[in-house]
Amino acid sequence: MQGSAAAVGALTGLARALVQQGKLRPDRAENFARKATQGNTQFIDELVSSADVTGLSAAAIAKFAADTFGHALLDLSAVDIEQLPKDIIDKKLVGSLRVLALRKRGNRLAVAVSDPTNTHALDQIKFQTQLAIDVIVVEHDKLMRHVEAQAQSVSQALDTISGGGEEIDFGMLDDPGDISAEDAAAAAEVDDAPVVRFLQKLLLDAIGEGASDLHFEPYEKFYRVRFRLDGQMREVAQPPIAIKERLSTRIKVLSRLDIAEKRVPQDGRMKLALSGQRAIDFRVSTLPTLFGEKIVMRILDASQAKLGIEALGYEPDQKQVLLDAVQRPYGMVLVTGPTGSGKTVSLYTCLNILNKPDINISTAEDPAEIQLAGINQVNLNEKAGLTFAGALRSFLRQDPDVIMVGEIRDLETADIAIKAAQTGHMVLSTLHTNDAPGTLVRLLNMGVAPFNIASSIILITAQRLARKLCACKQPYELPKDAFIGAGFSADDIAGGWIPYKPIGCERCKGSGYKGRLGIYQVMPITEPIQDMILKSATSIDIGREAQRNGVRDLRQSGLVKVKQGITSLEEVLGCTNV
């Protein structure tokens, strides 16, 4: 009796209760406990697997545990696993602790367990979720089926999203030799995982659909991926939240970022070879958020700059004025517009026209977005002291013909750029202003002398990007007042043309629009405008003078596209509402 009592005293939890209630012999309980320790399993695993010996089925054990320890009993057969709350408990804990989240109400979480005496597991869940735990007892075999199903859901979901197990073949162009041992190890952890195929398919889908950006966004209870297509954000996937760390690590390794640093933003770059003739650059930016790192990947396709000026959407008269300006031996050409309006592509299209063996071209950018052979491109590094102004000073000692400055942000950069334009160099740059006349006032407000502006700037182009109507477009009638209110004149309305509206089809994914084109205000700096600059005229007065010279403002240029049936009136009104 003393030996039996000693054996019972050595047992704990469910094993001890079963022996004390006469449901299980002490020697068998000891044997199951020993096997669990040696096999790195749990007591209840050994107990349920020996039901034919003990006579204790999983259902009988669950009823005993619920009655003995005072918990509710639930039959998991009646539970739809798809309706259970997702991602409240970390997937790794679900598998290792054999638990299942059933419902969350306020700050309380109901958890399904087969052994309610496993306080270690319950404490871990409480710590991870920061919720009070309500224990629900369930049958062990049914619980394990649900746990295994959830453990497999990440891989299955990713395989479904990425189109199965097909491996997509595209490679890194960068030399991998500079990856650290730690980063290489991190990459190896996810090298064979479905997350690799998922990322590959996303990148190829984004390129194929013409997206400009990919957004990877973690939230408290879900994770989503969005593309920016034709200027509009569109959700394309909601992968399981459990992959967010692996996906982040994969992207950061490929972009040469520090995978251990998650507290501050990082910027990197990666290049993918799609074929022997085409490579796509991605500019990668990470940002710490409340629930993980948000990652945005900007697609930088150098082929866009080589499409030619005809593809950008300039009207014939605007194109000729721009070409005449950039091919002059010296002066300054400015491109203005908000972020994402296509200024970089416009500048690089001009550079591509000028890029000849007998011309020396240097650019300073933050960072260089499109790489073009034959052009000397410099990335700014403010921490090291390489600013726009510093790069410009160096360029002037490099015997340049054409200089491109990514953006004029301050008076020092503006002064050096203007002096370069005055001393025999063609200077191209950008500013963030609403229209062309406003650019002149912005420079004056920066502190640039009026005579320097008047003597150096030869052309200013303001631009917006408007979505083009898909082939599914249809004509529709509009009242005359709507045309007049939008800015059409009586002469414009005459002629019997009909505007088109977006409809939506499979090709445009229901949006009614496919692709984008530019809307431009191309304003040469004429002698009358130079006189107005010297007299510090307002942007309104300068704009009126430009219109007298035949310069269309952004709205008028957009209405030309409406009349041509390229875009809709609603789209033009939306993107030229300045």
Side-chain angles (χ1 to χ4, degrees), residues 218-251:
Y219 295 94
E220 183 179 9
K221 296 182 180 179
F222 68 98
Y223 188 79
R224 72 178 177 185
V225 182
R226 294 192 291 173
F227 291 172
R228 187 175 290 279
L229 289 164
D230 298 331
Q232 307 292 311
M233 295 291 283
R234 182 167 67 83
E235 184 175 306
V236 295
Q238 272 204 26
I241 197 170
I243 75 159
K244 67 179 182 180
E245 296 296 339
R246 285 185 288 161
L247 190 56
S248 172
T249 297
R250 178 72 176 172
I251 294 172

Side-chain angles (χ1 to χ4, degrees), residues 36-114:
T37 302
Q38 294 171 348
N40 197 26
T41 60
Q42 294 182 7
F43 172 80
I44 195 167
D45 292 318
E46 304 298 331
L47 181 62
V48 171
S49 64
S50 302
D52 56 337
V53 175
T54 63
L56 291 172
S57 66
I61 296 168
K63 186 176 188 313
F64 170 83
D67 293 342
T68 302
F69 299 106
H71 297 298
L73 180 65
L74 175 69
D75 183 1
L76 277 180
S77 301
V79 175
D80 181 2
I81 190 171
E82 296 301 324
Q83 302 301 317
L84 297 180
K86 301 291 191 299
D87 306 315
I88 293 181
I89 302 176
D90 186 271
K91 288 289 191 301
K92 291 181 181 178
L93 290 182
V94 169
S96 63
L97 303 181
R98 285 83 176 279
V99 295
L100 201 64
L102 295 175
R103 67 173 181 272
K104 178 178 176 294
R105 291 179 180 171
N107 67 340
R108 305 195 69 84
L109 177 67
V111 176
V113 298
S114 55

Side-chain angles (χ1 to χ4, degrees), residues 8 85 115 117 125 146 216 221 245 296 340 342 468 477 485 564 568:
V8 173
D115 182 358
T117 65
I125 296 169
H146 281 280
F216 299 84
K221 296 182 180 179
E245 296 296 339
V296 177
K468 293 193 292 186
E477 296 286 344
Q564 294 169 346
S568 68

Side-chain angles (χ1 to χ4, degrees), residues 383-439:
K383 291 181 180 178
L386 181 56
T387 62
F388 278 125
L392 272 172
R393 289 193 189 94
S394 297
F395 288 167
L396 294 177
R397 296 190 289 271
Q398 293 275 318
D399 186 30
D401 296 303
V402 178
I403 295 171
M404 194 270 271
V405 185
E407 182 184 349
I408 294 178
R409 298 175 179 172
D410 51 50
L411 178 58
E412 184 182 16
T413 305
D415 277 339
I416 299 171
I418 284 172
K419 288 174 183 174
Q422 292 170 335
T423 55
H425 307 93
M426 171 54 62
V427 179
L428 308 177
S429 190
T430 71
L431 269 86
H432 290 282
T433 56
N434 287 330
D435 58 7
T439 304

Side-chain angles (χ1 to χ4, degrees), residues 3 68 99 154 167 205 243 270 354 411 454 461 522 531:
T68 302
V99 295
V154 173
E167 197 68 30
D205 283 350
I243 75 159
M270 59 188 284
L354 299 173
L411 178 58
T461 296
V522 181
D531 290 338

Side-chain angles (χ1 to χ4, degrees), residues 35 71 101 103 145 244 274 300 321-322 334 393 407 479:
K35 282 184 177 180
H71 297 298
R103 67 173 181 272
R145 284 197 292 271
K244 67 179 182 180
L274 298 183
L300 309 173
V321 171
L322 177 61
L334 295 175
R393 289 193 189 94
E407 182 184 349

Side-chain angles (χ1 to χ4, degrees), residues 10 21 26 70 139 209 215 294 344 366 399 454 486 505 507 536 544:
Q21 296 291 327
E139 296 167 41
E209 294 183 24
H215 293 243
K294 175 179 179 179
T344 300
D366 185 23
D399 186 30
C505 64
R507 180 172 178 267
S536 299
R544 287 172 180 160

